[in-house]
Amino acid sequence: MALALRRLSRLRHFSTQVNLRSNPDARDHGPTAGKYRGDRGSSSTKSSVDAQESAKFAALSGTWWDELGPFKPLHAMNPVRLLFLRSGMCRHFKKDPISPRPLDGLTILDVGCGGGLLCEPLARMGAHVTGIDAVEENIEVAKLHAAKDPLTATIVYQHTTAEQLVQEKQQFDIVAALEVIEHVADPMDFLQSLSLLTKQDGAVVISTLNRSPTSYSLAIFAAEYILGWLPKGTHDWSKFLTPEEVALLMERASLTLEEMTGMFYDPLKQTWRLADDLSVNYIAWAAKRGE
C-alpha cells in the first residue's frame, strides 16, 4: 500500500508538472501524440470510435456470456474490478459498504459495456445503470441477457457513443470505461468526453494495460499466441497507455487522480487480485471536483 501511495504521488507530480503548451516534444511520442490540442473542458463533436476495433468485437459478440470463450479473461477479472469500484463508490459517496445494495440511488454509465458483464452486478448492488456500446450486436446480447433477471432488467442499454451522450448533455455520478481506452481512436477526446459526462463531485474510473515490455510479453505474446486466452490481434500494444500518460490525460480532462492500483493475475490460483504492480493491468479512480 505504501508503494502504491508513493507511485500515485509521483503520477500526480508528473501530471501537474508537464506543460504541453511550452513543451511541444511531449506531443510527439506515444499513442496519445497529437491529442492534447483541445481546450480543457471543451466538447469534441467527432467520435473516438475505432472502426477496426469495433469490427473485432462485433465478430465476437455472441460469446460475451461464455465463461470459457474469448472473454474468459474478463469474466475472471470482473470480481477484482467490482471490488475496486464498490470500495471506491462507498468511500466517495459515503455509502454503507456492508449493505446488500450499497450503490442504491447512484447513476452509473458503463462506456463500452460489451455484453453487460459489469452492468449487471452494478445493477444488483442497487445502482441505476446505463450501458452504451458502439457495437450494436453487443447491445442486443446485453439486452437479452439482462432481461432474464428482474434485478438487471432495469438496465438501460443504448447503441451509441460517449460523444453522442455529451451532445445530449447527459451526466452521471460515475462514468466507467474498463478495458476500453486502449481500443479507441483518440484517448484524449475519449477521456474528455467521459469527464463531461460526469457530474460535479462524481468520478471517472478507467482500467487499461500499460505499454511496457512485461505487458507485451504477458498480455499479447502469452495470452494471444501461446495460451490462446484471447483471439490473436485482440490488442495493439502501441495503443496501450502508461500510467503517466493516463495521469496526464486525466489532468487535461479536469479530473483529479485519486487512486491507481495494479490488477495482478496469479497463474497458480487462477485468480486476479489488486496489487502495487502497474506493469501490465491497472485501474484508476479520478474525481471531478466542483468548481
Side-chain angles (χ1 to χ4, degrees):
M1 181 62 70
L3 177 59
L5 290 173
R6 290 197 298 272
R7 183 180 288 116
L8 178 56
S9 177
R10 290 197 298 272
L11 291 171
R12 284 174 172 165
H13 178 76
F14 175 88
S15 68
T16 56
Q17 291 301 312
V18 175
N19 187 328
L20 291 168
R21 292 181 180 175
S22 63
N23 181 13
D25 289 339
R27 299 191 183 103
D28 299 334
H29 304 284
T32 56
K35 310 227 188 312
Y36 301 99
R37 294 183 178 86
D39 294 333
R40 175 186 288 190
S42 64
S43 173
S44 172
T45 57
K46 68 179 180 179
S47 172
S48 60
V49 173
D50 185 314
Q52 289 185 327
E53 295 284 351
S54 294
K56 291 179 190 177
F57 288 97
L60 299 171
S61 60
T63 65
W64 272 105
W65 288 96
D66 179 358
E67 295 187 14
L68 300 178
F71 296 107
K72 178 181 177 180
L74 288 184
H75 282 275
M77 187 189 292
N78 222 27
V80 76
R81 301 194 304 179
L82 288 164
L83 175 65
F84 181 90
L85 281 165
R86 177 176 176 144
S87 174
M89 290 186 221
C90 288
R91 181 180 64 250
H92 188 88
F93 295 101
K94 297 179 173 55
K95 296 286 188 176
D96 181 2
I98 64 172
S99 167
R101 291 172 61 85
L103 309 185
D104 194 37
L106 293 180
T107 58
I108 300 176
L109 175 66
D110 182 11
V111 180
C113 64
L117 302 190
L118 188 69
C119 291
E120 292 199 9
L122 292 175
R124 292 189 181 99
M125 285 189 269
H128 301 289
V129 181
T130 298
I132 66 170
D133 203 286
V135 178
E136 187 172 9
E137 294 89 338
N138 289 347
I139 291 297
E140 293 307 313
V141 168
K143 287 180 177 178
L144 287 172
H145 196 273
K148 298 176 183 179
D149 183 345
L151 292 177
T152 59
T154 58
I155 299 170
V156 177
Y157 285 115
Q158 297 180 46
H159 172 222
T160 189
T161 64
E163 292 81 5
Q164 181 57 43
L165 294 192
V166 170
Q167 296 303 310
E168 297 171 9
K169 301 188 184 304
Q170 296 198 41
Q171 287 194 318
F172 304 82
D173 296 314
I174 295 286
V175 176
L178 306 191
E179 281 67 55
V180 174
I181 198 169
E182 68 271 20
H183 298 289
V184 304
D186 189 325
M188 182 67 252
D189 277 1
F190 179 69
L191 193 50
Q192 193 168 62
S193 292
L194 301 189
S195 177
L196 291 170
L197 288 168
T198 308
K199 296 177 182 178
Q200 292 296 335
D201 297 317
V204 171
V205 183
I206 293 286
S207 64
T208 189
L209 289 139
N210 191 351
R211 193 176 66 259
S212 67
T214 306
S215 73
Y216 185 86
S217 299
L218 297 179
I220 295 183
F221 184 70
E224 295 184 17
Y225 291 89
I226 303 300
L227 300 173
W229 288 350
L230 297 168
K232 295 176 182 178
T234 297
H235 290 114
D236 179 347
W237 184 80
S238 68
K239 296 180 73 173
F240 290 1
L241 296 167
T242 68
E244 291 81 6
E245 287 168 340
V246 167
L248 180 56
L249 290 171
M250 286 179 165
E251 192 274 335
R252 293 288 291 175
S254 303
L255 297 168
T256 302
L257 177 62
E258 293 190 341
E259 185 174 3
M260 182 179 283
T261 189
M263 293 187 290
F264 176 79
Y265 180 72
D266 186 334
L268 297 178
K269 297 181 179 179
Q270 296 187 352
T271 58
W272 289 82
R273 59 180 172 84
L274 298 176
D276 287 337
D277 186 357
L278 305 180
S279 63
V280 185
N281 295 83
Y282 63 98
I283 188 167
W285 176 285
K288 183 175 180 180
R289 296 303 180 189
E291 300 294 341

